[in-house]
Amino acid sequence: MFRSIFWLTALVLILPPSSEGGPPPRVSLMESAAAFRVLAHDVTSVCDRHPHACETSRDTLTLLGKKFATGRDLAAAAFAGTDPEQIDTGTLSEADLAVPWTTPGPEAAAQSGDIGPQEASAGRPLPVSTPSPTELPAPRPQLL
């Protein structure tokens, strides 16, 4: 692809300009190189001026790369005739799902309003409830 872009650019540079619409603008090679250098410096220094924009762009490109990789793996599985359920799409594993879910402790109950602020700050011990394991629902298939 890069080779094609290179040769098409070289071909466009060799071709004479069209005579339609008046005379073409006169631009020297040195002026073009100087303008390109200024433009390249401006593009490379955008991260200094707007670090949040660069960080967000990096995260977006990383996310898109992972999505493309998942799509590539799913397409390869479809062509190979294997089960697409065997493809790791970054969802929870069986080991992650095996951890029992527990209810929040008394500190979270005080913050949520189940226990009044006077009881939470009165110096008395808060009522302690033992966490009870809760059954997790079966995971749903992840769509891209």
Side-chain angles (χ1 to χ4, degrees), residues 40-56:
H41 182 269
D42 189 49
V43 168
T44 56
S45 66
V46 74
C47 288
D48 296 335
R49 294 187 309 252
H50 305 287
H52 180 68
C54 280
E55 181 181 334
T56 304

Side-chain angles (χ1 to χ4, degrees), residues 56-98:
T56 304
S57 299
R58 254 185 248 111
D59 292 344
T60 302
L61 290 175
T62 301
L63 177 65
L64 287 175
K66 289 182 179 187
K67 286 184 178 274
F68 281 128
T70 301
R72 178 200 62 215
D73 294 343
L74 289 173
F79 284 124
T82 60
D83 184 21
E85 293 292 324
Q86 296 174 352
I87 302 295
D88 179 26
T89 57
T91 56
L92 294 175
S93 67
E94 293 297 324
D96 293 333
L97 295 173

Side-chain angles (χ1 to χ4, degrees), residues 18-30:
S18 172
S19 60
E20 295 176 2
R26 291 290 197 195
V27 180
S28 72
L29 184 61
M30 293 304 288

Side-chain angles (χ1 to χ4, degrees), residues 121-135:
S121 63
R124 298 187 294 252
L126 293 172
V128 178
S129 62
T130 57
S132 61
T134 305
E135 199 62 36

